[in-house]
Amino acid sequence: MNEVVTPEQRRYENRVRHLQARQTANQTRGPKGVAAVWWDQARALATRAERNGDPEMWDHLARTLQNWCSLAEEREQEQHAQ
């Protein structure tokens, strides 16, 4: 018996396949390539969430990036202090 796939399910599956393909293609660039894919994915998810009435996802993304930058700055300062 064939399972009926809704257009929304098909779009979701296409997005997952696209993300996986991009991750695989960018693995040759190492962590920098993988990070680029995740950055694009984060922006796409926040944009979709905003379009669907949830603009808070941009706030969550901004806080996550702020935390990451704070950690990176701390590590940089520790390296220069030595």
Side-chain angles (χ1 to χ4, degrees):
M1 179 150 106
N2 290 339
E3 186 177 327
V4 176
V5 178
T6 67
E8 182 59 31
Q9 289 170 322
R10 187 180 323 272
R11 281 190 293 274
Y12 174 78
E13 290 170 4
N14 287 341
R15 285 193 302 263
V16 168
R17 272 195 299 279
H18 177 72
L19 173 63
Q20 290 170 340
R22 289 200 58 224
Q23 286 175 331
T24 300
N26 277 290
Q27 281 179 350
T28 59
R29 291 178 53 207
K32 184 189 255 186
V34 174
V37 173
W38 281 119
W39 168 241
D40 291 344
Q41 178 71 358
R43 288 182 303 151
L45 288 167
T47 299
R48 266 197 313 280
E50 182 179 34
R51 198 176 316 133
N52 292 327
D54 186 9
E56 284 185 29
M57 291 305 290
W58 281 110
D59 293 330
H60 292 298
L61 178 56
R63 281 195 303 276
T64 299
L65 291 169
Q66 181 182 19
N67 290 336
W68 185 91
C69 288
S70 294
L71 174 64
E73 288 170 0
E74 286 174 20
R75 290 174 66 139
E76 194 173 68
Q77 288 174 357
E78 288 172 4
Q79 288 174 345
H80 291 296
Q82 295 175 359

